[in-house]
Amino acid sequence: MYLSGSELKARAKAQLGHSLFGKVWLYDVITVAVQAAVSNVISLVFKNVSYGGLLNSLITGPFSVSVAYMFLNQCRDGQLMNLDDLLKGFREGFGENFLLGLLVSLFTALWSLLLVVPGVIKAYSWSMVYFIRCDHPDYDFRTCMRESAAMMNGNKMRLFLLDLSFIGWLILGTLCIGVGVLWVAAYMEAAHAQFYQNLLDQQYSSAAGGYSY
């Protein structure tokens, strides 16, 4: 059974330990904060140099795979995150992770040139690529993108509505000197991991699903 947005969020809260300032949630906040901080520092240091965009392109895929791996593992085993795993996407399969991040960003931007809506649709089509890459490190970027599109067929609106339900949280987080957004980002990452796992559970239980993740 596909879980509703409220059920996914409830599971995400449980994954985060329910407490905003508890150890589990704080570790998850640190995870997303490090990713954002590295990207922001690169942008500031290379503000007027094209190298900034190149360096950010180099880290987007590996960092995204690392963060997806950490949240997905936590979703499955409930363990406290190991911050050393933030480098997993750099240590293992860096080249393919880099290409995945670069091409997903590039193709989404190209679709967005047509109009905003096609770009958003493609972004949701490829929203599961990093989780798929975690489960299948042997997949290249093409396979990850193709499998994500297949997995999200008929499910893009469900994820869009889930994301939409965080608007109130994001507004509140912004009002908390902007820092509160990091707590919301961790909450959303956990919810996305739960969403992905729920899709897998459905595909496992459906004889007609045709997938074997």
Side-chain angles (χ1 to χ4, degrees):
M1 179 179 68
Y2 287 118
L3 298 176
S4 66
S6 58
E7 289 171 323
L8 290 167
K9 290 171 77 173
R11 291 194 176 193
K13 276 186 181 178
Q15 175 182 332
L16 294 167
H18 292 291
S19 174
L20 279 171
F21 299 103
K23 192 174 183 180
V24 178
W25 206 320
L26 286 177
Y27 264 66
D28 291 22
V29 167
I30 292 171
T31 298
V32 296
V34 170
Q35 182 185 22
V38 171
S39 179
N40 288 337
V41 167
I42 289 174
S43 297
L44 287 172
V45 171
F46 297 95
K47 190 172 183 180
N48 298 313
V49 186
S50 59
Y51 293 144
L54 176 59
L55 287 175
N56 262 324
S57 296
L58 283 171
I59 69 169
T60 295
F63 253 135
S64 296
V65 170
S66 298
V67 171
Y69 173 82
M70 295 170 76
F71 276 91
L72 189 56
N73 270 8
Q74 187 183 64
C75 165
R76 290 170 173 171
D77 62 24
Q79 298 299 309
L80 193 67
M81 285 185 173
N82 180 359
L83 296 180
D84 182 56
D85 285 333
L86 270 170
L87 298 177
K88 183 177 179 64
F90 294 88
R91 290 192 302 256
E92 302 173 16
F94 171 80
E96 205 62 50
N97 295 337
F98 158 66
L99 283 175
L100 183 60
L102 177 66
L103 294 175
V104 167
S105 298
L106 178 61
F107 290 152
T108 301
L110 290 175
W111 275 95
S112 297
L113 291 177
L114 298 176
L115 279 175
V116 173
V117 173
V120 171
I121 291 173
K122 282 300 179 181
Y124 277 93
S125 290
W126 297 323
S127 59
M128 298 292 111
V129 291
Y130 300 116
F131 293 121
I132 291 172
R133 174 77 176 149
C134 292
D135 275 342
H136 298 279
D138 56 314
Y139 281 6
D140 61 16
F141 69 88
R142 298 179 190 85
T143 306
C144 289
M145 292 172 73
R146 183 173 64 248
E147 293 298 312
S148 178
M151 176 178 274
M152 290 302 291
N153 184 30
N155 291 301
K156 291 185 283 293
M157 182 57 71
R158 291 182 60 240
L159 184 56
F160 174 74
L161 292 175
L162 175 63
D163 288 344
L164 201 62
S165 71
F166 283 97
I167 285 181
W169 278 81
L170 288 168
I171 292 173
L172 184 60
T174 303
L175 293 175
C176 296
I177 327 176
V179 178
V181 172
L182 293 173
W183 271 257
V184 185
Y187 188 9
M188 292 183 73
E189 287 284 355
H192 284 181
Q194 293 289 343
F195 183 90
Y196 172 75
Q197 187 60 49
N198 184 227
L199 291 183
L200 288 187
D201 292 342
Q202 284 302 109
Q203 291 173 353
Y204 274 132
S205 65
S206 174
Y211 296 96
S212 56
Y213 289 89

